[in-house]
Amino acid sequence: MEFREVMQEKYKEILESYMKDQNEQALYLSQKFSRKSIEHKISPEEIISLHKTALLDLGIEFSEAMLPSFDILLEVMMAYGLAYREHQNLRTIQQELKSEIEVAANMQQTLLGTQVPDVDCLDIGAISVPARQMSGDYYHFVQDEQGAVSVAIADVIGKGIPAALCMSMIKYSMDSLPEGQYEPSQVLESLNRVVEQNVDPTMFITMFYGMYNTVNHTFYYSSAGHEPGFFYDHKTKDFKELYAKGLLLGVSKKTKYRQFEKKVEVGDIILLMSDGVTECRTEEGFIEVDTLKGYIQKYIHLEAQEIADKVYKELEFLQGFQLRDDFTLIILKRIK
Amino acid sequence: MNITIDVKETELQTKVRIAGEIDAYTAPKLRETVFPYTERETSNIVVDLSEVSYMDSTGLGVFVGLFKSLNANGGTLQLIGLSERLRRLFDITGLADIMNINSEVEGGV
């Protein structure tokens, strides 16, 4: 028997049984039938036609005059049928897109992957959580032969897929910098030229680039419009802003970046972040910088990675577990 | 998450008043509304941000885009009425050094 004939028979059975004694079982079977119909893409108007045929087949007594009314019902349901089919098509397309984006997001993870360097004198922690599937935030570690650890933290303005593609471009530029050329101001100047030339004029990048010299324990840094980081002074138990002003990458070709430096003692901590951290919004308004410092202070005795994870958990909780912006926090703690 | 954009054109300038939040959701609307004015020759756009309660990096991107487009077409961009929080955003990003911000000369608010 053809599938439709089976459906026809089944429908007739259910209808007959219900017409006889209005039993619950028939109602239950109808629900099952309805799910099965949807599964097999049977449209609403086909169901009406089924109903009409079943009534005639069963020879149930009803006024002949009623019969043409089903034609009207059928016509009326036609548009619903079309809408339903369109919905089905869109669902398929949506599924396809979703899986493609998943592939892209995984690819981004792989492409942009970075290894947290392992150095004796530093305890390093990093966390980066995207607000949507693909992140506009990015961080990258580079360790050179002299033992210097460089860290870049960036935010592509403009979110989603275009931002992610742009990030990949930046990462490749960073990886292809000549060996030994990790002076923060130079790195930013050279990346600025890349972004200025290649990127759509409405897309921009903020970046903070720092280099920790493990010999003289000095942190050299420059910023291209990025949120300033914090410096935690272990002796005074005080936070200072790692202020470094500089123009966003990609706005003007000739931009020069100023380089700053900070001597780091044992116990001191460098905190770098994206604006998703400081521009973190809650129901009641913004999180003030002091609130953020409070959280950091609360966990400051822990290991770097734990501090990052715990601060993220607190901010996530404050925002009702719904991030509005990508979130990235990097912590460098001098341990000896 | 709402924004109202009010554009008034006079002979000398195009005045844009924005109220609300400028973020990833509202930025496209802002860009679409204001961008066409930047493509005219020598257009002077004054944007009043005094009723903007929030702006994120996406919003900043819109202004950089407007600024670049105006520069290319010989126009000017002036931003007025920035709150301290907004002012800080333009300071950190270095944009305050290249854009005309909060100067409020002739015919300002």
Side-chain angles (χ1 to χ4, degrees):
Chain A
M1 245 198 293
E2 285 281 317
F3 175 71
R4 299 224 169 217
E5 283 169 45
V6 177
M7 291 296 271
Q8 181 79 59
E9 274 312 305
K10 192 82 202 153
Y11 190 81
K12 213 159 83 185
E13 268 170 41
I14 297 170
L15 187 64
E16 189 171 25
S17 139
Y18 190 70
M19 298 287 277
K20 208 168 13 180
D21 55 7
Q22 279 91 62
N23 61 73
E24 284 281 327
Q25 174 70 7
L27 289 178
Y28 166 72
L29 286 174
S30 328
Q31 284 170 16
K32 250 177 90 178
F33 184 88
S34 147
R35 282 196 293 273
K36 202 91 189 150
S37 310
I38 286 176
E39 229 172 80
H40 289 89
K41 303 193 167 59
I42 294 181
S43 65
E45 69 269 24
E46 277 181 275
I47 300 286
I48 293 163
S49 148
L50 260 177
H51 186 75
K52 187 178 158 193
T53 320
L55 279 180
L56 287 172
D57 280 3
L58 290 172
I60 291 164
E61 260 181 61
F62 65 98
S63 158
E64 280 287 318
M66 289 274 290
L67 209 50
S69 79
F70 285 105
D71 296 338
I72 296 298
L73 186 57
L74 205 137
E75 286 301 322
V76 169
M77 291 315 282
M78 209 79 97
Y80 286 91
L82 282 175
Y84 169 69
R85 275 189 288 274
E86 199 177 343
H87 167 80
Q88 287 289 342
N89 283 340
L90 287 176
R91 261 181 61 161
T92 317
I93 294 170
Q94 193 197 25
Q95 277 300 326
E96 284 169 11
L97 283 177
K98 210 177 151 209
S99 66
E100 269 183 53
I101 291 173
E102 263 163 38
V103 172
N106 283 336
M107 203 138 89
Q108 189 196 13
Q109 285 298 318
T110 319
L111 285 175
L112 298 184
T114 186
Q115 200 102 42
V116 175
D118 189 16
V119 264
D120 288 347
C121 61
L122 287 175
D123 173 20
I124 304 174
I127 182 169
S128 187
V129 186
R132 293 204 230 158
Q133 219 162 12
M134 295 178 95
S135 180
D137 273 6
Y138 176 60
Y139 69 92
H140 189 51
F141 288 104
V142 182
Q143 194 173 6
D144 71 13
E145 293 113 45
Q146 284 81 46
V149 172
S150 294
V151 54
I153 176 165
D155 180 9
V156 178
I157 296 169
K159 299 274 174 269
I161 295 171
L165 290 176
C166 182
M167 219 61 265
S168 309
M169 188 183 86
I170 286 295
K171 147 136 192 181
Y172 285 107
S173 312
M174 257 191 298
D175 282 344
S176 50
L177 284 171
E179 192 66 35
Q181 234 192 59
Y182 300 120
E183 286 272 317
S185 57
Q186 278 177 25
V187 173
L188 291 184
E189 277 158 33
S190 109
L191 291 177
N192 178 54
R193 285 192 293 273
V194 175
V195 181
E196 213 276 332
Q197 277 169 27
N198 288 292
V199 182
D200 149 23
T202 57
M203 201 188 257
F204 306 93
I205 297 168
T206 72
M207 182 182 279
F208 184 100
Y209 195 95
M211 182 185 65
Y212 188 99
N213 183 319
T214 48
V215 180
N216 66 7
H217 296 285
T218 305
F219 186 64
Y220 302 88
Y221 60 98
S222 290
S223 169
H226 199 82
E227 191 65 35
F230 290 121
F231 181 86
Y232 176 77
D233 188 322
H234 177 65
K235 258 197 216 100
T236 61
K237 309 264 177 271
D238 201 20
F239 287 96
K240 279 195 199 72
E241 209 173 56
L242 280 175
Y243 191 78
K245 211 171 84 173
L247 191 60
L248 300 166
L249 296 180
V251 177
S252 168
K253 204 185 292 182
K254 287 168 292 201
T255 312
K256 290 275 170 224
Y257 292 93
R258 218 178 119 189
Q259 187 168 306
F260 301 79
E261 56 182 81
K262 182 87 196 143
K263 185 92 181 73
V264 184
E265 304 295 340
V266 174
D268 290 351
I269 300 174
I270 294 158
L271 301 120
L272 307 177
M273 60 207 79
S274 61
D275 66 358
V277 181
T278 47
E279 291 288 275
C280 182
R281 273 192 290 188
T282 65
E283 293 284 309
E284 292 93 46
F286 297 94
I287 291 170
E288 293 304 327
V289 172
D290 287 338
T291 318
L292 180 64
K293 286 179 186 165
Y295 285 132
I296 297 168
Q297 187 103 48
K298 186 170 159 193
Y299 298 116
I300 207 103
H301 56 282
L302 298 171
E303 281 187 11
Q305 189 60 49
E306 266 184 279
I307 303 174
D309 293 342
K310 289 257 162 59
V311 171
Y312 168 66
K313 284 270 175 290
E314 295 273 7
L315 295 184
E316 189 192 32
F317 175 73
L318 273 184
Q319 290 187 90
F321 300 98
Q322 188 66 56
L323 289 186
R324 281 189 70 170
D325 203 351
D326 302 331
F327 176 101
T328 302
L329 181 62
I330 292 175
I331 293 173
L332 294 116
K333 192 176 190 177
R334 181 175 170 197
I335 45 175
K336 64 177 175 188
Chain B
M1 272 184 272
N2 244 323
I3 189 167
T4 49
I5 307 164
D6 177 38
V7 184
K8 270 202 190 79
E9 274 188 280
T10 66
E11 244 175 77
L12 290 170
Q13 54 180 221
T14 306
K15 192 148 187 180
V16 184
R17 277 186 86 92
I18 306 169
E21 301 186 347
I22 312 175
D23 58 16
Y25 301 95
T26 60
K29 186 179 170 192
L30 177 63
R31 185 182 300 124
E32 279 158 33
T33 314
V34 187
F35 210 79
Y37 295 97
T38 67
E39 287 173 321
R40 299 177 184 175
E41 249 173 78
T42 60
S43 98
N44 300 311
I45 299 185
V46 180
V47 184
D48 183 350
L49 297 168
S50 50
E51 280 167 68
V52 172
S53 54
Y54 172 83
M55 179 155 98
D56 71 0
S57 48
T58 326
L60 213 55
V62 175
F63 287 103
V64 182
L66 296 177
F67 176 76
K68 276 196 140 183
S69 170
L70 281 165
N71 268 1
N73 298 308
T76 62
L77 176 68
Q78 193 187 341
L79 305 179
I80 57 172
L82 282 80
S83 65
E84 210 167 299
R85 195 184 281 278
L86 287 190
R87 172 80 214 193
R88 180 178 172 270
L89 203 56
F90 280 88
D91 273 335
I92 292 172
T93 50
L95 293 172
D97 295 340
I98 58 166
M99 287 183 178
N100 183 348
I101 288 170
N102 271 0
S103 60
E104 298 190 21
V105 277
E106 36 159 359
V109 247

